[in-house]
């Protein structure tokens, strides 16, 4: 299991952050295109599971895709059986249960992934769940995964009391500032990925480069003020 955890946190070299506001959730991660010949639109670690639930997956890219595919299957199977969309906490538990099965036998390899699930539940409001390769799943006000996880957690712990009152824009900027601080560098809009869910009727939305640039400019203006 130690090897799986190490691969999940360091193999991609990326850091991901998820933050929960008063009525919204946000995930932010770096976007690294490994080869100049690759189509940049095909490189992503942010995926939609249903129209209202999204996930940021860090780890081995092949394992990430397998994990996302299984999560989509489970979400649609739940919808088919019960007639309503799967709640975030139920999906997190299901993914964790499946991950735990892979730890029981020497003939199966755990998927080297860490999932940050976001969604806004009808009853529980905004939700951020972190699911690791051993089968732990826990709800968070804010969470991080990947290479600089501990530094990101230290940054988020200082702001956790304020986060509960953040609107969507404040939540997005808090997540971007966290990532920028732990990486120690400024970045352009096409170097990060940002996705949001707002309100109980809100859809999981991946932000465009121009929208991300707008938030980056606002952060820079606040820093100058």
């Amino acid at each position: 299991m130690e090897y799986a955890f190490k691969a999940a946190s360091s193999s991609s070299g990326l850091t991901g952050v998820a933050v929960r506001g008063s009525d919204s959730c946000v995930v932010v991660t770096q976007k690294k295109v490994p080869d100049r010949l690759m189509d940049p639109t095909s490189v992503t670690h942010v995926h939609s599971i249903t129209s209202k639930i999204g996930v940021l997956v860090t780890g081995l890219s092949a394992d990430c895709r397998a994990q996302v595919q299984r999560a989509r299957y489970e979400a649609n199977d739940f919808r088919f059986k019960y007639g309503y969309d799967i709640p975030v906490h139920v999906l997190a538990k299901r993914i964790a249960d499946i991950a735990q099965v892979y730890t029981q036998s020497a003939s199966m390899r755990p998927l080297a992934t860490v999932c940050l699930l976001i969604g806004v539940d009808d009853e529980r409001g905004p939700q951020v769940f972190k699911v690791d390769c051993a089968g732990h799943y826990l709800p968070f006000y804010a969470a991080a995964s990947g290479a600089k996880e501990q530094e990101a957690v230290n940054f988020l712990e200082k702001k956790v009391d304020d986060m509960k009152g953040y609107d969507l824009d404040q939540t997005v900027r808090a997540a971007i500032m966290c990532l920028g601080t732990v990486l120690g560098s400024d970045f352009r809009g096409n170097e990060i990925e940002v996705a949001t869910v707002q309100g109980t009727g809100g859809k999981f939305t991946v932000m465009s480069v121009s929208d991300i640039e707008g938030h980056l400019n606002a952060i820079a203006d606040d820093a100058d003020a």
Side-chain angles (χ1 to χ4, degrees):
M1 281 313 303
E2 284 84 359
Y3 288 128
F5 274 105
K6 191 169 183 182
S9 63
S10 60
S11 63
S12 62
L14 302 176
T15 302
V17 177
V19 179
R20 172 176 143 187
S22 60
D23 69 337
S24 57
C25 297
V26 175
V27 285
V28 179
T29 187
Q30 299 154 269
K31 180 165 185 167
K32 289 183 180 174
V33 182
D35 191 332
R36 288 179 66 185
L37 297 174
M38 284 180 72
D39 178 3
T41 58
S42 68
V43 179
T44 183
H45 283 79
V46 176
H47 306 272
S48 64
I49 303 300
T50 68
S51 61
K52 296 182 179 180
I53 299 175
V55 66
L56 164 58
V57 200
T58 53
L60 297 173
S61 59
D63 286 8
C64 291
R65 278 195 287 273
Q67 187 80 287
V68 168
Q69 194 73 19
R70 182 61 189 260
R72 285 172 177 161
Y73 167 80
E74 295 296 337
N76 284 290
D77 188 53
F78 185 97
R79 169 93 192 177
F80 178 75
K81 282 179 180 171
Y82 304 111
Y84 65 97
D85 286 334
I86 189 168
V88 188
H89 63 278
V90 177
L91 179 61
K93 181 179 187 302
R94 182 65 184 147
I95 294 171
D97 288 347
I98 294 164
Q100 202 279 328
V101 169
Y102 292 151
T103 70
Q104 295 177 12
S105 169
S107 63
M108 288 192 282
R109 176 177 73 81
L111 292 174
T113 62
V114 175
C115 299
L116 295 175
L117 287 155
I118 62 166
V120 180
D121 192 70
D122 293 346
E123 295 173 3
R124 302 186 180 197
Q127 298 279 288
V128 170
F129 274 86
K130 184 175 181 179
V131 186
D132 66 25
C133 40
H136 298 109
Y137 79 103
L138 291 164
F140 286 83
Y141 288 114
S145 64
K148 296 276 182 80
E149 177 181 345
Q150 191 54 54
E151 292 93 325
V153 168
N154 293 342
F155 178 94
L156 293 166
E157 281 176 351
K158 295 169 189 169
K159 293 185 175 283
V160 70
D161 292 329
D162 300 330
M163 285 174 191
K164 297 166 191 175
Y166 281 179
D167 61 21
L168 178 62
D169 287 345
Q170 289 172 308
T171 310
V172 170
R173 286 166 198 171
I176 293 173
M177 282 168 62
C178 174
L179 193 62
T181 303
V182 300
L183 297 175
S185 64
D186 296 327
F187 26 63
R188 298 195 301 274
N190 62 351
E191 292 173 345
I192 58 172
E193 293 181 278
V194 182
T196 64
V197 183
Q198 184 181 23
T200 51
K203 304 287 188 194
F204 176 76
T205 309
V206 178
M207 276 195 179
S208 66
V209 173
S210 58
D211 287 343
I212 295 170
E213 289 282 6
H215 284 291
L216 290 171
N217 292 336
I219 291 166
D221 292 343
D222 290 344
D224 293 338

